[in-house]
Amino acid sequence: MMLSVNKLTVAFAGKAKFAPVLEDLWLELCSGETVALVGESGAGKSVFIEAVLRLLPASCRVTGEIHYQGHNLLALPQSEFRRFLGRELAWVPQSASGALHPMLPIGLQLMEPLLARGMKRQAAWAEIEPLLESLDLKPARQVAQSYPHQLSGGMRQRALVAAALAQKPKVLLVDEPTKGVDTERRQQVIALFQEAKQLQPELSVLVVSHDLDLVEALADRVVVLYAGQLVEATSRKAFFSEPMHPFAKALLAALPKNGLEALPWAESRSVTGCRFHPRCPIALERCQSDEPQVTLHEHTHVRCWLYAS
């Protein structure tokens, strides 16, 4: 097990009390596996990545455990936690333009962590050059000497992935890699991460995305969040062929190829019982008063009274 999350709760400070964004989330990521975290905007997907990387502001209240190879990352002193960043855990944020330093050449940005570890420049370049070439950033030396604004959007995206892979991490955390891109670029992004997995077959990837086409192409398992709670965790095949939770079914029904069936909006976080019941077409009477727990049903973990034993 590369990454194991247990009872993770994240709450933001409000006017009168802390408001939970994630509640009792559990998640497991194995070596070489790709897990996709899906759900609506505001479900807490990106907050989860920020919690793993300890990027949340000090005003947040974070409880639970995030274990990486025997270490509880939330309990480590900040100085010790930094040893894991880049070398063990790497991050691909949403915006390539915002993540790359506009005033530094691409090559220097990729080599900087290696140089900081005491590696000589020639040896660092020997590590970076084949990585650039393998991700189709050619000619590598010309790309390395370029600044971000001199590259196309697709090349910046590849450079961002190259920066994440430069230290050969074991876990890659990817946040909305196809956000705001057209269909052609989406296929390029999918191909990019398929190439990254070929470069490092044992690389474990956790990808946050609204893009179910990307999820279907890359993921081994799918975890569905709704209003800060895990509502379904299953294999990719089961999610796309036989989703169990009504919200998971609604996500697939909203795809263009499935008829663009819209889900009516309703307040979810402040309701009693099941958080999805105000929008659920098959809600039971008990869904309005009793909150369901996650249970295992036919190899799928699901939070729904329909599958309660």
Side-chain angles (χ1 to χ4, degrees), residues 6-298:
N6 185 37
K7 294 186 177 180
L8 178 67
T9 296
V10 177
F12 284 77
K15 292 183 178 180
K17 61 180 181 179
F18 279 87
V21 177
L22 286 176
E23 290 187 56
D24 290 333
L25 178 65
W26 60 265
L27 186 146
E28 294 179 342
L29 180 65
C30 299
S31 178
E33 182 182 41
T34 297
V35 171
L37 201 58
V38 303
E40 295 175 309
S41 295
K45 305 183 302 298
S46 295
V47 169
F48 170 74
I49 287 183
E50 292 169 351
V52 174
L53 297 172
R54 292 174 55 163
L55 295 174
L56 294 170
S59 58
C60 285
R61 181 179 292 170
V62 182
T63 59
E65 298 176 335
I66 302 175
H67 286 278
Y68 172 75
Q69 294 193 336
H71 301 274
N72 182 5
L73 299 180
L74 295 180
L76 292 176
Q78 188 65 26
S79 58
E80 190 174 345
F81 174 73
R82 287 196 190 99
R83 294 191 299 106
F84 291 93
L85 295 179
R87 304 185 194 188
E88 305 284 337
L89 306 169
W91 178 39
V92 181
Q94 287 187 23
S95 171
S97 299
L100 294 169
H101 198 298
M103 303 300 290
L104 295 177
I106 294 296
L108 180 58
Q109 296 190 53
L110 269 62
M111 289 193 293
E112 192 172 30
L114 304 181
L115 298 175
R117 286 163 50 185
M119 188 178 290
K120 299 296 184 183
R121 183 176 290 268
Q122 186 174 356
W125 175 244
E127 293 277 336
I128 295 303
E129 183 178 19
L131 178 60
L132 292 173
E133 294 280 347
S134 65
L135 292 177
D136 202 26
L137 290 166
K138 303 172 183 177
R141 190 167 296 276
Q142 180 179 329
V143 172
Q145 294 170 347
S146 302
Y147 292 85
H149 73 274
Q150 295 175 309
L151 303 180
S152 68
M155 293 179 76
R156 285 196 295 269
Q157 184 84 30
R158 288 177 177 274
L160 194 61
V161 173
L165 296 177
Q167 296 189 73
K168 296 184 174 67
K170 295 182 175 64
V171 175
L172 191 63
L173 304 170
V174 185
D175 194 358
E176 295 285 5
T178 56
K179 184 177 181 179
V181 304
D182 57 29
T183 302
E184 182 179 355
R185 174 90 176 276
R186 177 193 297 167
Q187 295 305 315
Q188 293 173 355
V189 172
I190 291 172
L192 171 60
F193 284 98
Q194 290 171 334
E195 291 167 16
K197 287 287 286 186
Q198 290 174 359
L199 285 174
Q200 295 179 223
E202 294 184 0
L203 179 68
S204 302
V205 180
L206 189 140
V207 58
V208 161
S209 184
H210 291 98
D211 186 347
L212 295 185
D213 288 335
L214 177 138
V215 170
E216 189 169 19
L218 298 180
D220 298 302
R221 288 191 296 118
V222 179
V223 174
V224 183
L225 290 187
Y226 183 78
Q229 292 183 331
L230 183 153
V231 296
E232 183 163 330
T234 189
S235 68
R236 175 192 60 202
K237 181 179 179 181
F239 174 76
F240 283 98
S241 62
E242 298 179 283
M244 290 189 173
H245 195 277
F247 176 62
K249 295 178 180 180
L251 284 178
L252 293 175
L255 291 175
K257 63 183 179 183
N258 294 333
L260 280 173
E261 186 175 335
L263 186 66
W265 184 88
E267 176 57 44
S268 299
R269 289 185 180 269
S270 61
V271 302
T272 58
C274 172
R275 293 185 179 181
F276 187 63
H277 88 259
R279 306 170 73 185
C280 183
I282 52 174
L284 307 173
E285 184 176 349
R286 70 182 305 184
C287 299
Q288 301 178 35
S289 56
D290 302 331
E291 183 175 346
Q293 300 302 307
V294 176
T295 58
L296 181 62
H297 184 81
E298 296 181 0

